[in-house]
Amino acid sequence: MSLLHLAVLSPLILAVLIPFLHKHFRNIHTGWFLLPLPAVLFVYFLQFISVTKNGDTVIESFPWISSLGVDFALKIDGLGLLFALLITGIGTLVVLYSIYYLSPEKEKLNTFYIYLLLFMGAMLGVVLSDNLIVLYSFWELTSFSSFLLIGYWNHKEGSRYGAQKSMLITVFGGLSMLGGILMLYIITGTFSISETIAMSNEVVNHHLFTATLILFLLGAFTKSAQFPFHIWLPDAMEAPTPVSAYLHSATMVKAGIYLVARMTPVFAHSGVWVWLVAGIGVITLFWGSFSAVKQTDLKAILAFSTVSQLGMIMSLLGVGAAALHYGTIKDGYYIVAVTAAVFHLINHATFKGSLFMVTGIIDHETGTRDIRKLGGLMNFMPITFTLAIIGTFSMAGIPPFNGFLSKEMFFTGMLRVAKMDIFSLDTWGILFPIIAWAASVFTFLYSMMYVFKTFTGKLQPEKLEKKPHEAPIGMLISPVILASLAVIFGIFPNVLSHSIISPAMGAILPSLLANGEGFDVHISHWHGPTSTELLMTIGVIAIGILLFKSLPKWIGIYRIFPDRLALNHIYDRGLEIIQLASRNITKTYMNGFIRTYLVYIFSFFIFILATTLVYRNAFKLDFSNVAPIRFLEVILVLIVAVSSITILFAKSRLTSIILLGAVGYTVALFFVIFRAPDLALTQLVIETVSVALFLLAFYHLPKLGKNEERIRFKLGNAIVSIGVGAIVTLIALSAHSNKMFNSISEYYIENTYKKAGGENMVNVILVDFRGFDTLFEITVLGIAALGIFAMIKLRLTRGKE
C-alpha cells in the first residue's frame, strides 16, 4: 500500500479512533484532534501540482479482487488533484469553523466527526479512483455518510425527512450508475477508467452506448442535484451549517460534476451527451435561480442558489464537450466553456462556502435565519456584513470578485453555442444564452435579497431570539479566508491558470492534446467596452436592481403555480402510494401462518429448480457406479419409511415419540454399516437426549382426547410435499450422475496424515482443512452465548431494582 492509498484511507482510520479520543479527552473539543488531518492532506496534495502542471499523472495500485479485474487503483491527474485540494482545503476550514459552531455540551461531537471523516475519505476515494468499482464503492459511501450528516439532529423531523430524501434519490442514481459501469465493462472488458478512456472509439460504436450513457448521467444528475432530482438539496439544509458548507457547496454535490467531467472523454462523442448535459444543466440553472427568489430562509436561498450554480457548471461541461468534435485547440474558441466550468468550480467553493458560514453565524448570533425577521445587522455585525458583501457580489457576478470573471466566461461559452454547426446547435442553440442571461438576472436578484434584507433596513429585536452581536474570532477565520480567496482569485485569476485550471482541462479533453501539450489558459478582466458579455452583465445588473426594488409588486407570481404539481408534492405522494401499495400487496400473503409461508417458499423452490432442470437439460440418471443395495439396507429404509408415516396417524404422544426415536436410531444404524462410527455415536447421543427431553416435556401435557379435532387432508399441501421430495431426489440423482470432478475424499485420505499429522480424518478435516469454518462456527456460538449471558444479567439487574 502506497502513501497515496494511506492518504485516502486516513480519514476512515481516524474515524475509528475518534470515540476513544472523545472518551478520554472530554475537556478538549474533539474537532481539535481532527483538524490536523485535512490540513496535512492538503499540504500533501499540493506537492502534486508540479507533477500535473507538466501533464504527468501518478498512478498507485494494489490488487483487491484480481479475479474480477478490481484493483484498488488511485490516479492523480489535473482533475483529481483539483477536487482533492477542494475536499481537503475546504474540509480544513469547515472543521475549524465547526469547533466554534458546535458546542461540546450540547452536541454528540464524536458521532458528528465520525460521519464527517467517513464523508471526507469517501470523497477522496471517488475523485482519485482509477477503477470504476472502487469509485462506485466510495460513491455509495458518500451517500451513506451524507445521510448520517444530514440527519445528525435526528430529533428534528425535518432532519430525518431530508436525510431520507437525499438517501433515496442519490442511492437510486448510484444504482443506475452501477448498471452503467457493468454495461461499460461488457463493452470494454475492463473496470479501469484510464483504459476505458483509451477505448472510447469502441465504446461509442457499441449498441449499449446510449443506455450506458444515460445510466451514468442518472448517477451524476442525482448526486449533483440536477433538475428534476434537485429536490433533495433544499431539504438537506436541515443539517448543521458546517455540513452544508462542506457537503453542499464544495464536495458532495460536486461529485456528479466530477463524474461528468471524468467520463466526458468516453461519452462526449455523442450528441446525446452534449444535449443532455448542457440542456439539463441550463434548465437547472434557471429553475434554481428562479426558485431561490421566493425563499425566506437564508439557507434555503443558498440551497437553491447551489442548485442553480451546479446547473451552470454542468451546462458548461456539456457545451465544452462539443469541442471534441472539432478536434483542435486552436484559439480555444469552443474550449472556453470547459475553462469557465473548472474556474467556476473553484470560485463557487470559495464564495458559497463563506456564505454558508456567514449564514451559520447569523443563525448562531440571532437565533433565526428568516429574512422577514432580520434586518439592520450591519451595525452589529460589520465583519460578517463585509463577508456577506464579498460572497453575494461574487455570486452575482459583480467585479472585482472571482465570480464576475467566471460568469463572463460563462456568457462567452453560451454565446458560442449558437455558432456550432453540429447537433442542430446552430438553430436551437440560441436558447442557451437567452436562458443563461435570464437565470443570471434572478441570481443577481436573490444575491441582493440575501445581503440587503439581512444587514440593511430596520432592526427588529422583538423578532430575534438573541441580541445580535459579532461572532467570535474563531468562527470568523474560515469565512474570512474563503472571502479573501474570492478577492484574490478575482484580482489575480491567472495564479490558477497554469497550475490548476489547465491540467484539469487536460484531463477532461485529453484527445485534443498532443504529448507534452497543454491548454494555454489566460483569464482577462476586460474584453472591450462593446463586448456582448459586458452588455449582458450591464443588463443583468440593471434589470436585477429594477426587480429588487419592485419585488413586492410581482412576487405574487410564485403563488400561481399550484402546489399539487410541485416536484416535492409528487415525490411525497409517490412515496405514499408506494407504501400503500406495498402494504396491500404484503397483506395478500403475510397472514401470520408459518405453514402458508412454507407453501410459498416450497412452491417457488419446486418451480425454479424444476424449470432449471428442464431448461438446462440437466437431469441424468446413471447407476453404473452405484454400489449394490443389500437386504439389510432395504430393511432399514422400510423401517424409516413406515415409522415416519405411522407418526402422522398415531393417536398417542408417547407412540409418536417412540416412532420418532426409531427413525433416528435407524439412521444411526446406517452410519454404522457405512463405517462412520463417529457420526453414528453423535446421532445416538442426539436421539437419546431428544427422546428424553420430549418425554419430559410431553409428560406434563394432557392426554389426547377422543374428540380432538383432526387436521383435514389438504391436496395442495400433499402436492407441495411430494413435489419437494421428488425434486430433491431428482437433483440428488442428477448430481450423482453428472459428476464433473473426482470426490475430494481421496484427497483427504491421501493427505490427512501426510500434511496434517493426524490419524482421525474427521478431526483433521474440522481442525485443519476446514479450520476457518470451524473457527467461525465457534465464534457464532460464542456470540450467541454472550448474548444469552447479557440477557440473563439484564434480567437479574432489573429484578434487583
Side-chain angles (χ1 to χ4, degrees):
M1 183 178 293
S2 66
L3 186 60
L4 181 57
H5 287 97
L6 183 61
V8 170
L9 296 177
S10 58
L12 307 182
I13 297 171
L14 181 57
V16 178
L17 303 177
I18 287 294
F20 302 99
L21 295 173
H22 177 75
K23 180 179 180 180
H24 296 290
F25 301 95
R26 291 189 176 275
N27 295 329
I28 303 175
H29 196 289
T30 309
W32 289 114
F33 297 108
L34 179 65
L35 183 61
L37 178 64
V40 170
L41 290 176
F42 180 74
V43 174
Y44 169 72
F45 287 118
L46 279 176
Q47 68 176 326
F48 291 101
I49 290 180
S50 59
V51 177
T52 58
K53 186 178 180 181
N54 297 323
D56 298 325
T57 59
V58 176
I59 299 179
E60 299 286 353
S61 177
F62 72 84
W64 183 22
I65 313 175
S66 299
S67 59
L68 299 178
V70 180
D71 296 329
F72 191 4
L74 300 178
K75 176 182 178 180
I76 290 186
D77 59 3
L79 184 63
L81 180 61
L82 166 61
F83 278 88
L85 291 174
L86 285 176
I87 292 164
T88 53
I90 302 294
T92 303
L93 299 177
V94 166
V95 172
L96 176 61
Y97 177 83
S98 68
I99 292 173
Y100 296 93
Y101 185 85
L102 297 174
S103 170
E105 290 78 22
K106 299 179 181 178
E107 308 289 353
K108 297 179 180 179
L109 297 180
N110 56 331
T111 56
F112 176 82
Y113 287 114
I114 289 173
Y115 303 158
L116 195 67
L117 285 167
L118 287 176
F119 178 81
M120 186 182 297
M123 277 301 304
L124 286 174
V126 166
V127 302
L128 296 178
S129 293
D130 193 46
N131 186 287
L132 287 169
I133 294 297
V134 176
L135 184 150
Y136 172 74
S137 301
F138 282 115
W139 183 279
E140 292 298 61
L141 183 56
T142 64
S143 297
F144 173 69
S145 53
S146 65
F147 165 80
L148 296 174
L149 285 167
I150 295 168
Y152 172 69
W153 284 329
N154 52 56
H155 59 281
K156 296 182 179 180
E157 183 180 355
S159 296
R160 298 194 301 271
Y161 174 80
Q164 182 196 54
K165 181 184 282 190
S166 69
M167 173 69 88
L168 290 177
I169 293 176
T170 57
V171 167
F172 159 74
L175 289 174
S176 300
M177 186 182 74
L178 177 61
I181 290 172
L182 297 178
M183 284 188 177
L184 202 56
Y185 179 78
I186 292 173
I187 298 172
T188 63
T190 180
F191 288 119
S192 170
I193 298 176
S194 299
E195 294 177 10
T196 300
I197 293 174
M199 301 170 65
S200 59
N201 290 331
E202 297 179 24
V203 176
V204 75
N205 294 319
H206 199 277
H207 68 278
L208 293 176
F209 174 77
T210 302
T212 305
L213 179 154
I214 292 173
L215 290 173
F216 266 92
L217 286 183
L218 281 174
F221 288 166
T222 51
K223 188 73 83 172
S224 283
Q226 298 297 291
F227 186 91
F229 306 109
H230 66 282
I231 56 175
W232 70 265
L233 185 55
D235 289 294
M237 292 303 147
E238 291 292 335
T241 297
V243 174
S244 301
Y246 192 40
L247 274 67
H248 307 135
S249 66
T251 50
M252 176 182 171
V253 290
K254 301 284 177 63
I257 299 291
Y258 167 80
L259 183 67
V260 168
R262 178 61 75 193
M263 302 308 293
T264 290
V266 179
F267 295 113
H269 298 284
S270 167
V272 177
W273 177 270
V274 174
W275 268 108
L276 282 178
V277 176
I280 295 297
V282 79
I283 291 172
T284 305
L285 164 67
F286 175 80
W287 187 251
S289 62
F290 179 74
S291 301
V293 175
K294 68 175 181 178
Q295 307 303 318
T296 57
D297 185 291
L298 291 177
K299 283 185 76 173
I301 294 174
L302 294 181
F304 281 100
S305 166
T306 300
V307 170
S308 178
Q309 300 290 310
L310 292 171
M312 174 180 170
I313 300 171
M314 192 70 76
S315 66
L316 286 168
L317 288 174
V319 171
L324 288 173
H325 295 268
Y326 292 91
T328 177
I329 62 172
K330 186 178 180 181
D331 74 22
Y333 192 78
Y334 295 117
I335 301 171
V336 67
V338 177
T339 308
V342 175
F343 189 34
H344 196 70
L345 188 73
I346 302 168
N347 295 341
H348 179 259
T350 57
F351 66 69
K352 187 58 67 65
S354 67
L355 284 176
F356 269 116
M357 293 179 185
V358 165
T359 301
I361 290 172
I362 294 170
D363 187 20
H364 197 271
E365 306 306 332
T366 66
T368 183
R369 301 192 306 259
D370 193 333
I371 59 174
R372 294 169 298 185
K373 299 178 181 179
L374 296 169
L377 297 181
M378 178 174 59
N379 296 327
F380 297 91
M381 309 172 72
I383 300 177
T384 305
F385 171 63
T386 304
L387 296 173
I389 284 287
I390 295 173
T392 52
F393 278 31
S394 180
M395 184 165 61
I398 298 175
F401 307 109
N402 57 356
F404 166 74
L405 296 172
S406 51
K407 187 212 60 176
E408 292 286 288
M409 297 171 67
F410 167 63
F411 282 160
T412 302
M414 293 297 109
L415 286 169
R416 293 179 180 178
V417 175
K419 297 181 181 181
M420 294 181 179
D421 55 357
I422 55 174
F423 310 136
S424 300
L425 289 171
D426 51 346
T427 54
W428 291 102
I430 190 62
L431 294 175
F432 283 84
I434 294 174
I435 297 174
W437 183 85
S440 297
V441 171
F442 286 105
T443 299
F444 180 90
L445 177 57
Y446 68 67
S447 298
M448 298 306 103
M449 288 174 53
Y450 179 96
V451 67
F452 291 114
K453 284 185 173 291
T454 303
F455 291 96
T456 63
K458 183 181 178 181
L459 181 68
Q460 306 176 78
E462 70 281 358
K463 296 182 179 180
L464 304 179
E465 297 180 12
K466 303 177 182 177
K467 183 179 179 181
H469 56 85
E470 190 58 87
I473 187 64
M475 199 179 293
L476 290 169
I477 295 174
S478 294
V480 165
I481 293 174
L482 290 172
S484 300
L485 291 175
V487 176
I488 293 170
F489 294 158
I491 299 175
F492 307 103
N494 289 301
V495 71
L496 302 172
S497 295
H498 299 290
S499 58
I500 299 294
I501 298 176
S502 179
M505 293 176 61
I508 299 173
L509 305 173
S511 61
L512 297 183
L513 299 174
N515 289 334
E517 191 178 15
F519 290 100
D520 184 17
V521 178
H522 181 76
I523 302 172
S524 301
H525 291 83
W526 183 249
H527 301 282
T530 59
S531 66
T532 306
E533 294 87 343
L534 180 60
L535 295 176
M536 291 174 73
T537 298
I538 294 173
V540 166
I541 296 174
I543 301 300
I545 292 174
L546 179 63
L547 291 175
F548 179 67
K549 292 293 185 181
S550 60
L551 188 61
K553 296 181 179 179
W554 62 269
I555 194 68
I557 64 171
Y558 286 98
R559 292 191 290 271
I560 297 175
F561 192 78
D563 290 338
R564 59 188 177 84
L565 296 179
L567 289 171
N568 275 305
H569 176 77
I570 295 172
Y571 167 84
D572 293 335
R573 184 60 182 154
L575 281 186
E576 292 175 4
I577 292 173
I578 291 173
Q579 291 172 356
L580 179 63
S582 65
R583 282 197 296 267
N584 291 335
I585 292 172
T586 302
K587 287 178 182 178
T588 61
Y589 63 87
M590 295 293 289
N591 57 9
F593 296 105
I594 295 179
R595 61 175 179 268
T596 305
Y597 304 152
L598 291 176
V599 169
Y600 297 149
I601 295 170
F602 289 144
S603 298
F604 185 78
F605 175 83
I606 294 168
F607 174 76
I608 292 297
L609 294 180
T611 303
T612 303
L613 282 174
V614 174
Y615 179 74
R616 305 293 298 183
N617 194 24
F619 179 70
K620 183 179 178 182
L621 199 59
D622 183 7
F623 293 120
S624 59
N625 294 323
V626 176
I629 301 175
R630 293 172 292 180
F631 179 74
L632 177 59
E633 294 165 2
V634 173
I635 296 298
L636 293 179
V637 168
L638 289 175
I639 293 174
V640 171
V642 171
S643 301
S644 300
I645 295 172
T646 307
I647 291 174
L648 301 176
F649 302 97
K651 297 183 179 180
S652 167
R653 292 195 183 94
L654 181 61
T655 303
S656 299
I657 295 171
I658 293 173
L659 290 171
L660 189 62
V663 172
Y665 287 120
T666 306
V667 171
L669 288 176
F670 271 112
F671 290 141
V672 171
I673 64 175
F674 289 147
R675 292 182 295 180
D678 51 343
L679 294 179
L681 180 62
T682 303
Q683 179 71 16
L684 288 171
V685 171
I686 291 174
E687 282 304 319
T688 301
V689 173
S690 299
V691 170
L693 290 175
F694 272 130
L695 289 172
L696 181 63
F698 279 81
Y699 174 79
H700 298 282
L701 293 177
K703 294 182 179 180
L704 294 173
K706 295 182 179 179
N707 297 324
E708 290 284 344
E709 182 179 352
R710 307 298 293 179
I711 299 175
R712 293 181 301 169
F713 175 79
K714 292 184 179 181
L715 179 61
N717 291 352
I719 292 173
V720 171
S721 301
I722 295 171
V724 170
I727 199 69
V728 170
T729 301
L730 291 175
I731 290 174
L733 292 173
S734 298
H736 182 272
S737 303
N738 285 283
K739 288 185 177 180
M740 301 178 65
F741 307 100
N742 294 328
S743 173
I744 197 174
S745 59
E746 296 298 327
Y747 173 83
Y748 291 136
I749 293 172
E750 295 175 1
N751 294 284
T752 293
Y753 185 78
K754 185 190 304 182
K755 292 187 176 181
E759 296 182 352
N760 188 314
M761 186 186 303
V762 175
N763 289 348
V764 170
I765 291 173
L766 292 176
V767 176
D768 292 282
F769 292 115
R770 290 179 54 201
F772 278 114
D773 185 31
T774 305
L775 175 63
F776 292 148
E777 290 177 359
I778 294 171
T779 303
V780 170
L781 291 174
I783 293 172
L786 288 174
I788 294 170
F789 177 76
M791 287 190 292
I792 293 173
K793 290 288 290 183
L794 182 63
R795 183 178 179 182
L796 292 174
T797 303
R798 288 184 174 178
K800 292 178 180 179
E801 293 177 354

